[in-house]
Amino acid sequence: FKKSQIVYKETLPDKSFFTTMTVDRAYSLNKTADFTGISVRKKDSENFRYVPYAKRARYSEGELVNKIFELKEHYKVDKIGIEQNAFEYTLKPTLDEEMRRRNVFFEVVEIKNKASKIARIEGLVPYFESGSIYFVGDKKDFVDMEDELLRFPMAGHDDLADSLAMHDDEEMAGGAGEQ
C-alpha cells in the first residue's frame, strides 16, 4: 500500500449504498493481545467503497455487543460479518439474546476466512491502486488503519486491515438490495 493511494473524503456522496460492518474479534483483553478491529464500509452502484468508520480496541464481550448495536444504528448497516471462530462460539449466543431483549433484529453472517490473513489483506491492493476506496471523515480517525496498511505486512497489528478485507468475503455479498 502506498500513502498516495490512501484518499480521504470529507463527507459521503449523496447516493444509495449497501452498508456492511465487519468485526475481526480478538480473543483476549491482555495488553499484548490483538485488538478487535471493526470497520464500516458503504459500497455504491459503481463499486466505489467508502469507509466512514474503522477503529480498533480491546472490548469485553458486552462492550463489543453494545458497539455493534450502536454502529448498526448509526451507519444504517445492512449486513454484519464476524470472523467465524469468534462468532459461533462466543458472540452469537450473546448477540441473539441481545437482539431479542432489544427487539432489534439484523443479519449477522460468519466469515469463514478461507485464505490466509496476508492474502486477504493483499486482496485490498487493487481497490487502492484503482482509486476505488475512500476513507470518509477526519484523517485523525484513521491513523491506526493507515499505519496498518502502510506498514503491511510488518505492522505490529493488522486487525483493521483484516476487518476491511472481510467486507469483500463472499458471505458479505448483499441480497436483492445491494447496489
Side-chain angles (χ1 to χ4, degrees):
F1 299 94
K2 297 176 184 162
K3 189 158 183 71
S4 62
Q5 297 169 337
I6 298 175
V7 180
Y8 291 88
K9 299 266 186 192
E10 286 185 26
T11 59
L12 283 167
D14 187 19
K15 299 181 176 188
S16 294
F17 297 102
F18 183 74
T19 304
T20 53
M21 176 189 346
T22 56
V23 179
D24 179 25
R25 177 75 163 124
Y27 295 98
S28 171
L29 296 175
N30 292 336
K31 286 188 175 193
T32 57
D34 279 344
F35 291 95
T36 292
I38 304 174
S39 60
V40 174
R41 187 192 75 185
K42 294 180 168 286
K43 187 168 83 169
D44 69 17
S45 60
E46 299 172 77
N47 283 316
F48 284 102
R49 290 147 167 83
Y50 301 87
V51 181
Y53 183 91
K55 299 254 192 272
R56 67 183 188 200
R58 292 188 176 96
Y59 296 105
S60 69
E61 187 171 273
E63 290 169 335
L64 179 56
V65 167
N66 285 332
K67 181 57 78 173
I68 289 169
F69 275 88
E70 172 192 321
L71 294 173
K72 195 253 185 261
E73 175 64 26
H74 182 76
Y75 291 104
K76 308 297 184 229
V77 173
D78 296 301
K79 187 182 270 190
I80 299 169
I82 301 175
E83 183 203 4
Q84 181 181 17
N85 294 337
F87 178 64
E88 185 176 352
Y89 301 109
T90 62
L91 223 42
K92 184 176 182 353
T94 305
L95 264 175
D96 288 347
E97 182 180 322
E98 195 62 18
M99 281 190 252
R100 282 189 298 275
R101 190 183 77 70
R102 295 183 188 206
N103 196 27
V104 175
F105 296 88
F106 46 85
E107 183 177 10
V108 182
V109 296
E110 297 175 65
I111 297 177
K112 296 179 176 46
N113 291 335
K114 296 171 189 90
S116 72
K117 187 178 272 206
I118 288 176
R120 286 192 307 272
I121 295 169
E122 285 174 341
L124 291 170
V125 170
Y127 299 116
F128 284 91
E129 288 178 341
S130 66
S132 300
I133 190 164
Y134 303 98
F135 294 102
V136 180
D138 194 323
K139 192 173 180 175
K140 72 177 180 2
D141 292 332
F142 297 94
V143 170
D144 291 331
M145 174 66 87
E146 193 171 310
D147 179 64
E148 288 184 17
L149 292 172
L150 294 176
R151 295 179 57 216
F152 176 80
M154 304 308 290
H157 296 280
D158 55 12
D159 315 290
L160 288 173
D162 195 29
S163 174
L164 187 60
M166 286 184 209
H167 289 276
D168 288 305
D169 186 274
E170 63 190 33
E171 300 294 329
M172 292 303 290
E178 181 172 356
Q179 299 296 315

